[in-house]
Amino acid sequence: MSNLAWIFVSTLLVNNFTLVMFLGLCSFFGVTAKIETAWRLGLANTFVLIITAVSAWILNTYILTRTPYLRTIAFIVVIASAVQIVEMAVKKYLPVLFRQLGIYLPLITTNCAILGLALFQTSRRYNFVEGLVFALGAGFGLTLALSLLASIRERMEVADVPVIARRMGLVLVAASCLSLAFMGFAGMGSQ
Amino acid sequence: MTTALAHSPAAALDFVPGAPPPATLRADIWRGIAAENPVLVQMLGMCPTMAVTNVLANGIAMGVATTFVLVGSGLFVSLLRKYIAHEVRITSYILIIATFVTLADLLLAASFPEISKALGPFIPLIVANCLLLGRAEAFAAKVGPVRAVADGMGMGIGFTLSLAAMSAIRELLGRGSLLGFDILGPRWEPWVFMVLPAGGFFTLGLLLITAAWIDELRRRRRALEAK
C-alpha cells in the first residue's frame, strides 16, 4: 500500500512529468495562456493517461513479450486509436464535455507525456494497479503544472515587461522558477 | 476543366493545396537552419530540447538521431504522398515516423550503448516530437522526394545546432567541461543549477531573449538608417 502511495506522490511532485521530466512541454507552453483551458486540458490528459496505462499493460503482458522491437510502433498506434475511440464515445454520450474539451482531445495523441508514461511504465515493470496509480499521479501532476503556469502567465499579462522578453522568453524563465520550486520536493526520497 | 486538370497526374503535382512555393535546394536546406529554426523560432520539439541537453554529447546524439528520422520519414512520406488517403494520413505519417524511430533506437543501442542508455526513453519519444509530424504534414506530403529530403536535412541541422548550443552552455557552466574534457579548470565552481531541469528552461529562455534583443537592435538600426 505504501508503495502505491509512494508512486503517486513521486509522480505528482518529486518527478513531476512536466517540470522535472520534461514531458508534454508543447501543451505546457501552448495552452497555458488561460487558466480555464489549462486545467481542463490537464483533466483530459489524465483521462487519456489512464486509458494508456491500461492498454500499455495489456500490450506488455500479452503481446509484446516476444517482439520488444515493435514497442514504439505498437504503443503509438494503440494510443492514437484509443484517443480516437474516446473522442467518439465522449462526443456521443457526453456532448457537453466534448464541447468543453474541443480540439484538445485529439491533440493529446501527440503529447509526449502519454507515450512517455507507457515507456516508463514498461521500463519500471509496473503491474496493473501500480500502472493505474502512476497514470493518476502523472495526470494530476500535469494538471497542477499547467494550472500553476497559467495563473502566473495571467498575472504577467498585465505586468510591465521589457519588449524583448514579452513573448516566450519570460514564460520560459517563469517555468524555470516553477521547476526550481519543485526541486524542493527532491529531498522527499530517491527512487 | 479544372477538375479534369487536377485529375491528370502531371497537373496533380502542381495542384497541391497549400504547397510550399518553389525554391532552390539551397533555400530549402537553409530555411530550417535560420529563418524557421525548429527550436528558436518555431518552438517545436521542446521536450528533447530540455531533457537531454545537460551534456553536449547527449544533445548532439539526440540531434543526429532526430535528423535521421526527419530525412527518412520525409523521403517516405513524399514518395507515398499520392497513395495515402487524406482521412488516414496522420496515422500513416505516424507509422512511417515510428518505423524510423525504431531503426534509430536500435542502431544507437548497437553502436553507442552508453549514449543510448543516457538518453533512455527519449529516443523512442522522438515519435511524439511535433516537429516530425509537422514537417510531414506541412512540407514532405506536398513536394517531391528531393525537396523533402533537403527540408529534412535543413530542419535536422537547425535542430542539432540549437541542441548543441543549449547543451554546450549547460555543460560548460554546470560542469566546467565540454564533451567530458575539463575546460574551465579545477578552480571553477560548477553551477549545479544549469544541469538541473530548471536550468534547461532558464537557458532556453535566455537564448530566446537574446535572439529577440538582437532582432530589436537590428530593427532600431534599420529605423535609424531610414531616417
Side-chain angles (χ1 to χ4, degrees):
Chain A
M1 186 58 216
S2 67
N3 184 32
L4 290 182
W6 166 247
I7 291 176
F8 183 77
V9 176
S10 159
T11 28
L12 179 68
L13 298 174
V14 185
N15 292 317
N16 185 287
F17 256 38
T18 312
L19 291 169
V20 182
M21 313 261 281
F22 297 121
L23 295 168
L25 289 184
C26 295
S27 54
F28 186 55
F29 294 120
V31 294
T32 48
K34 274 206 173 132
I35 192 161
E36 190 88 338
T37 43
W39 68 261
R40 272 194 191 136
L41 180 75
L43 290 185
N45 263 317
T46 311
F47 189 48
V48 178
L49 280 168
I50 291 170
I51 294 168
T52 309
V54 174
S55 24
W57 180 80
I58 294 173
L59 280 175
N60 277 330
T61 322
Y62 297 108
I63 297 166
L64 291 176
T65 43
R66 277 152 186 267
T67 52
Y69 53 89
L70 281 179
R71 203 181 54 191
T72 312
I73 300 180
F75 279 165
I76 196 79
V77 171
V78 169
I79 291 168
S81 357
V83 173
Q84 200 109 57
I85 293 171
V86 170
E87 193 194 349
M88 288 193 277
V90 172
K91 192 177 186 180
K92 178 109 169 50
Y93 298 110
L94 301 164
V96 180
L97 182 70
F98 181 76
R99 242 175 295 139
Q100 281 177 342
L101 290 178
I103 182 77
Y104 299 127
L105 205 49
L107 271 185
I108 292 171
T109 316
T110 51
N111 189 331
C112 37
I114 311 286
L115 186 63
L117 177 103
L119 292 170
F120 278 114
Q121 191 186 353
T122 312
S123 64
R124 293 181 191 170
R125 300 174 189 282
Y126 283 154
N127 64 26
F128 185 70
V129 183
E130 284 171 339
L132 272 185
V133 175
F134 184 46
L136 211 61
F140 286 152
L142 265 180
T143 315
L144 182 69
L146 285 171
S147 320
L148 282 176
L149 187 70
S151 46
I152 295 178
R153 281 181 76 172
E154 279 195 357
R155 284 296 179 88
M156 286 197 313
E157 278 294 291
V158 291
D160 186 23
V161 175
V163 178
I164 53 167
R166 284 250 167 93
R167 290 178 64 221
M168 288 311 288
L170 192 67
V171 179
L172 277 157
V173 175
S176 161
C177 299
L178 210 52
S179 171
L180 203 58
F182 269 69
M183 289 310 292
F185 294 114
M188 284 173 70
S190 52
Q191 184 175 318
Chain B
M1 184 63 196
T2 33
T3 37
L5 257 178
H7 280 290
S8 76
L13 266 181
D14 307 318
F15 257 78
V16 188
T24 58
L25 277 185
R26 204 165 157 193
D28 273 339
I29 296 179
W30 195 243
R31 183 178 38 224
I33 301 173
E36 291 180 24
N37 187 293
V39 177
L40 298 177
V41 182
Q42 299 190 70
M43 305 277 295
L44 290 177
M46 304 294 286
C47 309
T49 309
M50 310 273 188
V52 304
T53 52
N54 47 359
V55 196
L56 182 55
N58 289 355
I60 293 176
M62 176 51 110
V64 172
T66 310
T67 309
F68 170 76
V69 181
L70 266 168
V71 171
S73 64
L75 175 67
F76 272 74
V77 165
S78 170
L79 285 175
L80 296 172
R81 68 189 186 282
K82 286 176 205 147
Y83 307 103
I84 295 176
H86 187 75
E87 292 78 15
V88 294
R89 68 188 195 287
I90 301 287
T91 322
S92 320
Y93 300 159
I94 284 275
L95 266 180
I96 294 173
I97 292 167
T99 312
F100 278 96
V101 169
T102 309
L103 269 178
D105 193 14
L106 295 178
L107 281 175
L108 197 68
S111 39
F112 299 100
E114 271 176 29
I115 290 184
S116 168
K117 204 176 273 176
L119 294 178
F122 280 97
I123 290 290
L125 272 176
I126 298 177
V127 181
N129 188 335
C130 13
L131 172 64
L132 288 143
L133 198 58
R135 288 332 281 175
E137 165 84 358
F139 201 92
K142 287 163 183 161
V143 296
V146 180
R147 283 192 74 190
V149 168
D151 180 71
M153 288 283 280
M155 288 290 159
I157 294 170
F159 190 67
T160 311
L161 286 179
S162 323
L163 254 62
M166 282 266 301
S167 46
I169 296 173
R170 288 180 70 187
E171 191 182 344
L172 191 65
L173 297 178
R175 292 167 198 256
S177 62
L178 274 182
L179 286 171
F181 297 107
D182 207 359
I183 300 281
L184 296 176
R187 295 189 60 194
W188 172 257
E189 184 71 41
W191 302 10
V192 184
F193 169 76
M194 293 308 269
V195 285
L196 290 180
F201 288 116
F202 190 70
T203 312
L204 188 59
L206 282 195
L207 276 182
L208 286 176
I209 292 179
T210 315
W213 182 51
I214 295 172
D215 264 4
E216 177 72 13
L217 285 185
R218 268 198 198 152
R219 204 181 54 79
R220 276 192 201 157
R221 195 184 307 149
R222 263 203 304 271
L224 264 179
E225 279 168 7
K227 270 181 196 169

